Amino acid sequence: MASKKYPVVLRFEGMDPSDIGGYEAHRYRKGGDLGHIDRNKPTPRRLIGSETWAEEARAEIELINVETFAAELEDLDRRNRRKDLEKRRLEGPRDPWRASRHGPMRELILTANKDWFEQTETSDVEFSTSREELFEERAVAWLRDNFGDDVIHARADLDEQAYHIHAVVMPRATVRKYGTECRVLQPSIHPLIKDYEAAQDSVGEWFSEIGLVRGEKRKQAIRDALNDGRTPPINPRHVRPAEWRAKEEKRLAEKAAEVETRERDVVAREDDAASVLVFAHAVAAGEIDTDGRPVESADANRPTQTQPVKKTTLGFAAARKAFRAVAKRLGARAEEKARREAQEHIASEVAEISAADEIILEIARAFSQDQRNRIATIRRSLTAKIMALDPRSKGRSDAQKSSPNSRR
């Protein structure tokens, strides 16, 4: 099976002379993003440039400023532009480069996948720096071949996750202005800075001798897709390690906060559940009523088994509300049952009384008319009082009760 092909990685970052101080602070591990630095590994190793390259670069840029400013003043004086001459003297030197968002200098990063660096020729060797040495040799040669003396600094970082090389290019150029040759900083003087795809082709070919390949041709794939009317592939934006780590730390912090919130919620729910159980046990034991108030025990010496209920908890409030609702429903059911039983009892007794009244009527027929009239008078008064107890008699009019068809 063919071995996996790893691409060589080349990135350009814009750099302003004012960025040199921050670059050096990070090189000495005294500033910048240090969260990914392994203090147990060797410190960065300088490959190109002197130890004082930063001071030398700043001094050179200042000298170019002064030289260009002097040439401009001399040109204005030669052309007898007195007002402009006085104005420029007050303004002072200008930066010897064209303003842009990238700055006049470039920082290069050269690396490959960390798995490629960690591969060894035999399984008997746990770790080897041979591939780092191969990569470093090719990198230094490529930098000098393409940028010459404009590579004012290069270093190898050994104390991060993957071996990589940083380099600083100060692109010096000479242009004709103010009637003389003036030095400037001009990135486009180097073809590989001017053409990013050409730089990727160059580095891919250069490092192919040690088994690395050119990276994916994303820009060419985008152009081909647009020419063919297809949706172009997404061109991922490179995110600096410091920016990625800051976003990752923020994401992890938000996730940790969310987990902590959930844990607190679970603990609170467990506390509420415990309060409900304590409340229910206390109610069942007759120690408190459904409102949570203590119940006076008939046996004052009986020990209390239930722990006191904390009335400030949400669990207590929830249990009290639930028990109140249950007690209310049970009370309503008991009242309804008692009412139905009372009505059934009264109806049964009224039915018995009605039956007795029928018997009285049968007996009264054997009496004389005078005796029957007296019995009828007494019966009407008694029956009216008895029948008033019958729920079914409600709504009956007095006319119905005393109608001529009523029994006598």
Side-chain angles (χ1 to χ4, degrees), residues 273-324:
S275 297
V276 170
L277 292 175
V278 171
F279 188 98
H281 184 72
V283 171
E287 297 172 5
I288 61 174
D289 60 17
T290 56
D291 289 329
R293 293 188 294 266
V295 176
E296 293 295 335
S297 175
D299 185 3
N301 296 323
R302 184 170 63 89
T304 301
Q305 299 295 329
T306 308
Q307 296 294 329
V309 180
K310 297 181 180 179
K311 297 187 179 182
T312 56
T313 64
L314 291 176
F316 180 89
R320 183 172 57 188
K321 182 178 180 181
F323 271 84
R324 281 176 175 174

Side-chain angles (χ1 to χ4, degrees), residues 149-372:
D149 292 338
D150 284 350
V151 184
I152 59 176
H153 167 77
R155 76 170 194 264
D157 280 358
L158 313 173
D159 54 358
E160 299 185 31
Q161 188 176 18
Y163 173 92
H164 59 279
I165 292 174
H166 288 267
V168 177
V169 176
M170 189 165 74
R172 305 175 180 95
T174 302
V175 297
R176 181 80 182 178
K177 61 180 180 178
Y178 307 131
T180 186
E181 297 293 327
C182 296
R183 292 191 296 166
V184 295
L185 300 184
Q186 185 177 326
S188 61
I189 195 68
H190 294 291
L192 299 189
I193 295 179
K194 187 176 181 179
D195 188 341
Y196 180 78
E197 291 295 324
Q200 296 295 331
D201 290 339
S202 172
V203 79
E205 181 180 356
W206 192 274
F207 282 84
S208 63
E209 296 183 11
I210 60 174
L212 294 172
V213 298
R214 186 202 191 280
E216 182 182 355
K217 296 183 178 182
R218 293 194 181 98
K219 290 191 175 180
Q220 185 61 47
I222 292 174
R223 286 195 293 268
D224 292 342
L226 292 174
N227 291 334
D228 297 340
R230 295 181 285 108
T231 301
I234 297 175
N235 188 19
R237 182 181 69 88
H238 169 65
V239 179
R240 293 183 67 91
E243 182 182 349
W244 179 86
R245 275 186 292 275
K247 290 182 178 179
E248 186 68 6
E249 288 175 1
K250 181 181 178 182
R251 184 186 68 82
L252 293 175
E254 291 175 348
K255 186 176 181 180
E258 182 181 351
V259 171
E260 184 178 354
T261 300
R262 289 181 179 177
E263 289 178 349
R264 286 200 301 266
D265 185 58
V266 169
V267 171
R269 289 176 183 270
E270 289 176 349
D271 290 343
D272 291 343
S275 297
V276 170
L277 292 175
V278 171
F279 188 98
H281 184 72
V283 171
E287 297 172 5
I288 61 174
D289 60 17
T290 56
D291 289 329
R293 293 188 294 266
V295 176
E296 293 295 335
S297 175
D299 185 3
N301 296 323
R302 184 170 63 89
T304 301
Q305 299 295 329
T306 308
Q307 296 294 329
V309 180
K310 297 181 180 179
K311 297 187 179 182
T312 56
T313 64
L314 291 176
F316 180 89
R320 183 172 57 188
K321 182 178 180 181
F323 271 84
R324 281 176 175 174
V326 171
K328 185 177 180 180
R329 286 198 298 272
L330 291 177
R333 290 178 182 176
E335 290 178 0
E336 177 63 21
K337 181 179 180 182
R339 187 181 65 82
R340 286 200 306 269
E341 290 177 351
Q343 289 179 348
E344 291 173 358
H345 182 68
I346 292 172
S348 175
E349 291 184 349
V350 168
E352 292 178 3
I353 292 171
S354 297
D357 185 55
E358 293 291 339
I359 294 173
I360 292 171
L361 287 176
E362 290 296 329
I363 296 173
R365 289 192 182 95
F367 296 156
S368 64
Q369 185 63 40
D370 183 50
Q371 290 175 328
R372 286 200 300 271

Side-chain angles (χ1 to χ4, degrees), residues 64-128:
I64 294 174
N65 276 347
V66 173
E67 290 176 348
T68 304
F69 187 50
E72 182 182 3
L73 295 181
E74 185 178 346
D75 179 59
L76 291 173
D77 183 58
R78 184 173 57 252
R79 291 188 293 154
N80 202 27
R81 303 278 297 274
R82 299 301 173 189
K83 289 184 178 180
D84 292 336
L85 177 63
E86 187 62 27
K87 179 182 177 182
R88 287 297 295 119
R89 279 176 177 169
L90 293 174
E91 291 175 345
R94 292 172 178 164
D95 293 332
W97 61 81
R98 183 176 297 175
S100 69
R101 65 186 180 92
H102 298 294
M105 303 170 67
R106 291 294 183 272
E107 177 187 356
L108 276 71
I109 299 176
L110 279 166
T111 187
N113 190 289
K114 67 183 183 66
D115 292 339
W116 183 82
F117 288 109
E118 292 173 356
Q119 286 182 352
T120 57
E121 294 181 359
T122 66
S123 58
D124 297 333
V125 180
E126 233 177 78
F127 177 76
S128 173

